[in-house]
C-alpha cells in the first residue's frame, strides 16, 4: 500500500513516519479522515462532519501534493496522520488574524486509526510535529481546536505542552488557539 522508501522518522519505536505522496497514499489518508469523522459522529460530535458529505475544508489531496501531509505507518497499516502547513490558510487567517504567520507552521487534521486508541499515538505525533521535523524560518507551531471539547483542549495544553493563546469565533463555532515555540532551523 505505501511505496515510500526510507522513513523520515520513527516514533514509539516502531511506527515509521513518511511524507505522504500522491497516488496510493491519498485514498488511505482520505479513508482515515472519514473513519475519524464517523467516530466523532458516533460520540455526538459534529466536528469534521463535512467529510461525511464529501466536503474537505482542508483540501487534503492538494495538501498531499504540496507536501504538507505526514503519515505514520506500522506494518503497512496507516496508524495516523497530521497536516503541517507552512503557509496560513484562509481558515488560519480568520481565526488568528494577520499577525505571526511568517514564523508559524499550522497543525491540522491530527487523527489516528481507531485501532491505535489508548496508545498515546496522538501525543507522539504532536510531539514529533514540534521536534522531529523542522521548517526553515519557522519558530512556532499553531493549532486550533473546538472550544467546547475539554478533553481535547486538555490534551493540547497538558499532554502536548501547547500554550493557550485565546479564543476565536467564526460561523462554525468557537475555537481555542494554541501555540508552541520550537527551535528555529
Amino acid at each position: 500500500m505505501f511505496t515510500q522508501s526510507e522513513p523520515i522518522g520513527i516514533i514509539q519505536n516502531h511506527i515509521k513516519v513518511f511524507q505522504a505522496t500522491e497516488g496510493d497514499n491519498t485514498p488511505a489518508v482520505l479513508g482515515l479522515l472519514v473513519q475519524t469523522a464517523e467516530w466523532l459522529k458516533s460520540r455526538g460530535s459534529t466536528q469534521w462532519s463535512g467529510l461525511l458529505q464529501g466536503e474537505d475544508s482542508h483540501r487534503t489531496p492538494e495538501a498531499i501534493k504540496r507536501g504538507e501531509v505526514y503519515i505514520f505507518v506500522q506494518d503497512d497499516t496507516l496508524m495516523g496522520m497530521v497536516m503541517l502547513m507552512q503557509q496560513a490558510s484562509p481558515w488560519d487567517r480568520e481565526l488568528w488574524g494577520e499577525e505571526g504567520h511568517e514564523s508559524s507552521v499550522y497543525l491540522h487534521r491530527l487523527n489516528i486509526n481507531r485501532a491505535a486508541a489508548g496508545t498515546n499515538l496522538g501525543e507522539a505525533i504532536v510531539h514529533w510535529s514540534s521536534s522531529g521535523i523542522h521548517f526553515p524560518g519557522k519558530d512556532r507551531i499553531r493549532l486550533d481546536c473546538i472550544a467546547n471539547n475539554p478533553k481535547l483542549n486538555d490534551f493540547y495544553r497538558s499532554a502536548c505542552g501547547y500554550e493557550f493563546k485565546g479564543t476565536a469565533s467564526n460561523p462554525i463555532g468557537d475555537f481555542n488557539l494554541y501555540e508552541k515555540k520550537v527551535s528555529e532551523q
Side-chain angles (χ1 to χ4, degrees), residues 89-138:
S89 68
W91 174 269
D92 297 319
R93 291 185 181 283
E94 180 181 15
L95 295 181
W96 286 89
E98 292 304 318
E99 299 295 319
H101 298 297
E102 302 77 26
S103 61
S104 299
V105 171
Y106 293 86
L107 186 151
H108 289 289
R109 293 294 195 212
L110 168 69
N111 70 97
I112 63 166
N113 187 318
R114 298 314 312 155
T119 65
N120 295 321
L121 178 58
E123 184 178 336
I125 291 171
V126 173
H127 284 298
W128 177 87
S129 297
S130 63
S131 64
I133 188 167
H134 301 282
F135 300 97
K138 306 295 185 177

Side-chain angles (χ1 to χ4, degrees), residues 3-158:
T3 59
Q4 289 84 357
S5 53
E6 290 299 311
I8 59 173
I10 296 178
I11 62 172
Q12 292 188 332
N13 298 320
H14 59 283
I15 297 176
K16 296 176 181 177
V17 184
F18 299 98
Q19 190 170 32
T21 57
E22 290 183 79
D24 56 0
N25 290 173
T26 303
V29 167
L30 293 173
L32 183 61
L33 287 168
V34 169
Q35 177 194 75
T36 301
E38 288 170 344
W39 177 77
L40 287 165
K41 181 180 178 184
S42 77
R43 303 195 41 100
S45 174
T46 59
Q47 271 183 280
W48 296 14
S49 59
L51 289 165
L52 301 176
Q53 282 85 48
E55 299 166 12
D56 181 3
S57 62
H58 285 27
R59 300 179 14 228
T60 303
E62 291 88 350
I64 291 172
K65 288 179 190 174
R66 290 190 304 268
E68 297 172 338
V69 176
Y70 297 86
I71 58 175
F72 300 79
V73 178
Q74 179 182 14
D75 300 328
D76 245 2
T77 299
L78 181 59
M79 300 305 290
M81 63 141 317
V82 70
M83 189 178 293
L84 298 173
M85 300 170 60
Q86 294 185 61
Q87 302 294 320
S89 68
W91 174 269
D92 297 319
R93 291 185 181 283
E94 180 181 15
L95 295 181
W96 286 89
E98 292 304 318
E99 299 295 319
H101 298 297
E102 302 77 26
S103 61
S104 299
V105 171
Y106 293 86
L107 186 151
H108 289 289
R109 293 294 195 212
L110 168 69
N111 70 97
I112 63 166
N113 187 318
R114 298 314 312 155
T119 65
N120 295 321
L121 178 58
E123 184 178 336
I125 291 171
V126 173
H127 284 298
W128 177 87
S129 297
S130 63
S131 64
I133 188 167
H134 301 282
F135 300 97
K138 306 295 185 177
D139 69 355
R140 69 197 69 213
I141 307 282
R142 286 178 165 178
L143 62 89
D144 63 85
C145 72
I146 195 141
N148 67 0
N149 185 333
K151 187 173 181 179
L152 184 60
N153 281 270
D154 187 56
F155 167 76
Y156 287 120
R157 249 187 341 270
S158 299

Side-chain angles (χ1 to χ4, degrees), residues 157-173:
R157 249 187 341 270
S158 299
C160 299
Y162 275 72
E163 181 182 350
F164 176 73
K165 300 303 269 184
T167 300
S169 299
N170 67 18
I172 295 173

